[in-house]
Amino acid sequence: MLIGFITAVHILVCFFIIVVVLLQSGKSGDISAAFGGQGSQTAFGPRGAASALSKATTWSAVAFMVTSITLSINASRHTTAPSVLQGIKSQPVKTQPAQKPAAPAPTQK
């Protein structure tokens, strides 16, 4: 039950990271910044949005890492076989002896 909860939190964090990253503006700003416009018509103002979204990105990245590590540790503990190829015996390779190369034909002048 706990792993189901962690998986649900992990999926929610994934969607949240996608939304937060898509809401952030790039370093160069938007198209109006290319023509000298102000271009910062956000609810938080030009600096507030960057810091709030940066903090949200940082904390969601931390939550993503923690849930990822937790799920991977749980998956590694509950495997039945340590390897996919465990129990498969390798067959000996059948090889033929190398052929002796043919002698070059004598050249006529």
Side-chain angles (χ1 to χ4, degrees), residues 29 87 92 108:
Q108 295 180 359

Side-chain angles (χ1 to χ4, degrees), residues 43-66:
F44 297 109
R47 288 303 264 169
S51 65
L53 289 176
S54 296
K55 288 181 182 179
T57 304
T58 302
W59 284 108
S60 59
V62 168
F64 178 80
M65 293 294 177
V66 168

